[in-house]
Amino acid sequence: MAGTPVLELVDCELRFGSRTLWQGLTLDVRPGEFVAVLGANGSGKTTLLRAVLGLQPLSGGQVLIDGAPPRRGSPLVGYIPQERRLAPPTPLRARDLVQLGVDGARWGTGLRSTARWQLVDDALASVDAGHIAERPVHLLSGGEQQRVRIAQSLVNDPRLLLCDEPLLSLDLNHQRGVVSLIDARRRSHGTAVIFVTHEINPVLPYVDRVLYLADGRFRTGTVDEVMTSATLSALYDAPVEVLRIGGRVVVAGVPYTPAAETHDPPADEVAV
């Protein structure tokens, strides 16, 4: 990908007590690039997003966004959280949820009302959700709610889009729809995408590179370079089989990490 990097990870290290989630992590992400972040539970995928959002201090190294350290609420960064349904009493309409993306990072009165709502309408239209703008969010399907969250993340036209397991709890059809929307955005606007996921297959046709985190180590490269038995076995220091079946990548034998030993916070702690 051409252009100055939107995101730079420079020799990054993160430790929790005696455990190192990753160290020496260096990665440049350029405009329009789609990078999938893979790894088992506890490998630090969500924590990496927290560091990019300016919410998690590093043990070493540096994160740069457009050449500057990250800051909370930066309009340069859009964030799509893990899918979770909103409770029925929630009074928010779809357009209200998207509006939070406009006003959430601003002090004072912000944009005039007409300009604000135009941004909201444009964002909803960009994800084909204009027809549900007035509907209460709790009445939307999982796929519709995720479209609204994508609109919220894009409303300020960010240069970098962080996606934290946005396909969880969605059926295959809605997964394809969500990934297609994100891919269309990065191609039309040059938005760099960091896409955290447990499975490579839904994003396989769109990925430029993979960042695989495992047992304090990492590998970066194309899907064909990283998703191999030799590479993953070396990362985990254990036998791991990577098979390709019917156009799908199947990984077998990844060592289990008990939940008590993981350090990624629950999704509701990753607030911006």
Side-chain angles (χ1 to χ4, degrees), residues 46-47 50 53 55 79 81-84 164-165 168 259 262-271:
T46 290
T47 307
R50 287 175 57 83
L53 288 167
L55 303 177
Y79 171 67
Q82 293 185 15
E83 194 275 336
R84 54 190 189 277
D164 190 7
E165 296 280 7
L168 286 179
T262 67
H263 297 281
D264 282 355
D268 58 0
E269 292 185 13
V270 189

Side-chain angles (χ1 to χ4, degrees), residues 201-214:
N201 290 297
V203 298
L204 191 58
Y206 309 99
V207 170
D208 295 306
R209 284 190 293 161
V210 169
L211 166 62
Y212 202 108
L213 304 173

Side-chain angles (χ1 to χ4, degrees), residues 131-147:
H131 61 290
I132 58 174
E134 302 297 332
R135 291 180 59 187
V137 175
H138 73 269
L139 295 179
L140 302 178
S141 69
E144 288 172 334
Q145 284 195 15
Q146 232 17 12
R147 281 178 179 261

Side-chain angles (χ1 to χ4, degrees), residues 25-249:
L25 178 53
T26 296
L27 177 71
D28 289 351
V29 182
R30 299 184 181 276
E33 190 171 14
F34 194 125
V35 177
V37 181
L38 306 176
N41 287 338
S43 58
K45 301 186 299 296
T46 290
T47 307
L48 176 61
L49 296 190
R50 287 175 57 83
V52 176
L53 288 167
L55 303 177
Q56 174 64 57
L58 295 174
S59 304
Q62 190 177 27
V63 176
L64 298 173
I65 299 171
D66 255 7
R71 63 181 178 86
R72 182 168 182 159
S74 170
L76 295 176
V77 182
Y79 171 67
I80 304 174
Q82 293 185 15
E83 194 275 336
R84 54 190 189 277
R85 300 302 300 270
L86 298 179
T90 304
L92 291 177
R93 301 168 299 171
R95 64 164 55 251
D96 297 326
L97 191 62
V98 177
Q99 184 189 336
L100 294 177
V102 180
D103 298 332
R106 291 186 169 85
W107 294 99
T109 57
L111 297 175
R112 292 182 296 107
S113 179
T114 52
R116 180 189 303 117
W117 289 120
Q118 188 60 56
L119 286 175
V120 170
D121 290 341
D122 290 347
L124 285 166
S126 73
V127 298
D128 195 24
H131 61 290
I132 58 174
E134 302 297 332
R135 291 180 59 187
V137 175
H138 73 269
L139 295 179
L140 302 178
S141 69
E144 288 172 334
Q145 284 195 15
Q146 232 17 12
R147 281 178 179 261
V148 173
R149 289 190 177 98
I150 295 172
Q152 183 190 53
S153 72
L154 297 177
V155 71
N156 285 319
D157 194 18
R159 297 204 64 208
L160 173 66
L161 181 61
L162 305 179
C163 310
D164 190 7
E165 296 280 7
L167 307 182
L168 286 179
S169 303
L170 298 182
D171 60 31
L172 182 59
N173 185 50
H174 283 125
Q175 286 183 351
R176 289 171 175 165
V178 166
V179 178
S180 178
L181 286 172
I182 292 170
D183 179 66
R185 177 70 181 203
R186 63 109 173 198
R187 292 182 184 279
S188 63
H189 287 68
T191 309
V193 175
I194 302 294
F195 197 104
V196 169
T197 180
H198 273 89
E199 187 185 357
I200 186 67
N201 290 297
V203 298
L204 191 58
Y206 309 99
V207 170
D208 295 306
R209 284 190 293 161
V210 169
L211 166 62
Y212 202 108
L213 304 173
D215 199 23
R217 297 182 287 268
F218 70 93
R219 290 289 187 277
T220 58
T222 65
V223 173
D224 288 340
E225 291 168 340
V226 175
M227 303 304 293
T228 70
S229 299
T231 297
L232 296 194
S233 294
L235 271 178
Y236 285 107
D237 196 23
V240 176
E241 290 292 330
V242 179
L243 309 173
R244 283 169 168 76
I245 302 173
R248 293 174 57 83
V249 175

